[in-house]
Structures are given as C-alpha cells and as structure tokens.
C-alpha cells in the first residue's frame, strides 16, 4: 500500500533529526530558511559525528527511516565517497552531516545566523 499522505517539511526535518539521533549524531539543529530570498531549500538540518564511519551510518539511517516512515527517497546525495561531509537533498529539506572538525571549520549555521533555529535534544 502506498502512503499518499503528504507531510510538511517540519515533519520531515523532525524525522530526519530522530534518525540522526538513532545513530548518535551530535549537535542536531534545523534552520528555517523560508524567509530568505535565494535559499536553495526551505530548511537545513545540520549535525556532526566524530568519524567518517559514523557520518556514513547517519546518512544511511536517514535514508532508511525517511523511506520507511514517509515513503520518500533522497533526491540527491553528495559526499559519500569520503564521508567527511555528506549532503542529502530532500528538495525542501537539505541535510548536512559533517565530520566534527569540518563543521567547526565551515560554520554553516553562522552563514545563516538570522535564520530561526530549532535545537534537537535527545536522551543519550
């Protein structure tokens, strides 16, 4: 049976954050970019991990959970070869999974400092 129910980008971002948490991703945030002209999507979900193995596992976990729960496939995915920074494009929501050092270097959230931010806190 095909799931014909649509979901909001907020629901998608929340599910992605849950999938990140399942794989022990750190510092999970969502940035609402809807108020910005020229933004490539409506929402970024950003996290980091301490190893390339974990970065890759988080990406795989997101792909699996989003497809399982919402029937939605990732439209495009980049960075899997090195797993230093994987970007997953779900059209309205783009996920950035960074190796911790690269997240600190690129400071993506600072580029969008005016965007409303939601922090996800999960029990360890």
């Amino acid at each position: 049976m095909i799931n014909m129910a649509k979901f909001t980008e907020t629901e998608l971002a929340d599910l992605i954050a849950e999938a990140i948490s399942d794989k022990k991703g750190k510092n999970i945030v969502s940035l609402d970019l809807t108020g910005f002209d020229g933004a490539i999507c409506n929402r970024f979900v950003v996290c980091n991990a301490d190893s390339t193995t974990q970065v890759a596992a988080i990406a795989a976990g997101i792909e699996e959970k989003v497809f399982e729960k919402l029937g939605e496939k990732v439209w495009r995915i980049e960075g899997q070869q090195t797993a230093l920074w994987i970007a997953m494009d779900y059209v309205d929501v783009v996920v950035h999974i960074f190796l911790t050092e690269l997240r600190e270097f690129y400071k993506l959230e600072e580029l969008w400092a005016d965007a409303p931010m939601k922090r996800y806190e999960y029990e360890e």
Side-chain angles (χ1 to χ4, degrees), residues 33-41 112:
L33 306 179
T34 55
F36 295 88
D37 287 339
I40 62 166
C41 62
W112 298 96

Side-chain angles (χ1 to χ4, degrees), residues 14 17-18 20-22 25-30 46 103 117-124:
D14 290 348
E18 187 181 304
I20 293 167
S21 176
D22 290 348
K26 298 179 178 178
N27 307 309
I28 308 165
V29 298
S30 172
V46 185
R103 184 175 186 181
M117 180 189 295
K118 176 178 180 179
R119 292 189 182 280
Y120 294 89
E121 303 290 334
Y122 294 94
E123 295 297 317
E124 294 277 330

Side-chain angles (χ1 to χ4, degrees), residues 90-101:
Y90 282 97
V91 185
D92 289 334
V93 177
V94 174
V95 185
H96 296 274
I97 310 159
F98 286 97
L99 190 62
T100 300
E101 299 80 40

Side-chain angles (χ1 to χ4, degrees), residues 103-120:
R103 184 175 186 181
E104 292 166 1
F105 179 80
Y106 285 107
K107 302 181 187 321
L108 188 63
E109 295 96 320
E110 288 183 22
L111 294 175
W112 298 96
D114 294 340
M117 180 189 295
K118 176 178 180 179
R119 292 189 182 280
Y120 294 89

Side-chain angles (χ1 to χ4, degrees), residues 52-66:
T52 55
T53 303
Q54 188 180 12
V55 168
I58 290 169
I62 292 168
E63 206 167 356
E64 184 179 312
K65 189 165 204 147
V66 169

